[in-house]
Every structure is written in structure tokens, then in C-alpha cells.
Amino acid sequence: MELFLALGAVLAGLGVVLGAFGAHALKDKFASPHYAAIWETAVQYQMYHALGIIAVGIVSSDTLLGSSSLLTWAVYCMLVGIIFFSGSLYVLAVTGVKKLGAITPIGGLLFIIAWVLVVIAPFA
């Protein structure tokens, strides 16, 4: 599952870049500290789930679990969760368009589903 390791590493690296970008380049651009905090939340959840994807890649390369389809689905859920959850928060933080917050919970639900899949994969 080299692809999962690479994907997780790219997303983690992008999380570092976006964190630094928000802290420095956008520092004075946010309408209020509230939006800076939203940006930080997006970065945190992106990083957590990038590390989750890396962990799944490592576990998937272990002969004990092999390439479980549940783990593959967990990675897909984490990836799409990052896009929906963190992506919508990034855009919300920069634009202030609150309607974007309506899709954020979809990303959160995908994160939950991903972790449930990781939990049940060893027993399937």
C-alpha cells in the first residue's frame, strides 16, 4: 500500500504548508480571530487524517491484515472527509460564506466511518 503512504505524506506536507500559510500569509486577512481558529481546525483535522492514512498504509503492508478492502475504504473516506471537512473550513475561513458550513458535517461523518472501518478491519 505504497500509494496510501505517499498520499498520506502528501496530505501531511500540505497540512504543514497550509498551517504556515494561515499563520503567516493570511494572518491579517482573516475577518476575525474566529476565522483564524476555523483555519487551524481545518489544518488539525487534515493532519490527523493524513497520519491516519499513513497508519493504514503501514498496517496494510503488514502480512497480518494484508490489503483489506475495509482499510481501502477507510482511506477513501479519510481522503474525501479531508476534502469536505477541511476543504469547506478553509474556504469558510477565507470567504466568510457560512453556507459552506453545511457540507462540513459530511466530512466529519466520513471521518467517523473511516475510523469505524479501521476498528472492524482486523476482525473481518
Side-chain angles (χ1 to χ4, degrees):
M1 294 302 185
E2 297 83 8
L3 178 62
F4 294 166
L5 294 172
L7 177 63
V10 166
L11 290 167
L14 186 58
V16 173
V17 169
L18 289 169
F21 186 67
H24 300 289
L26 295 179
K27 182 178 179 180
D28 299 324
K29 306 283 188 224
F30 293 119
S32 72
H34 172 71
Y35 290 108
I38 289 172
W39 185 275
E40 289 176 23
T41 298
V43 170
Q44 288 174 346
Y45 275 80
Q46 177 171 336
M47 185 60 76
Y48 298 150
H49 291 89
L51 293 173
I53 291 170
I54 291 170
V56 169
I58 292 168
V59 170
S60 294
S61 65
D62 183 350
T63 56
L64 179 64
L65 290 179
S67 58
S68 164
S69 65
L70 293 176
L71 292 177
T72 300
W73 278 105
V75 168
Y76 293 150
C77 287
M78 287 186 202
L79 174 61
V80 177
I82 289 170
I83 293 166
F84 277 62
F85 186 89
S86 294
S88 65
L89 291 182
Y90 290 134
V91 175
L92 171 63
V94 172
T95 66
V97 177
K98 294 181 177 167
K99 289 184 180 185
L100 291 169
I103 64 168
T104 307
I106 297 169
L109 179 61
L110 288 167
F111 289 154
I112 293 166
I113 292 168
W115 289 111
V116 168
L117 291 171
V118 170
V119 167
I120 64 175
F123 306 104

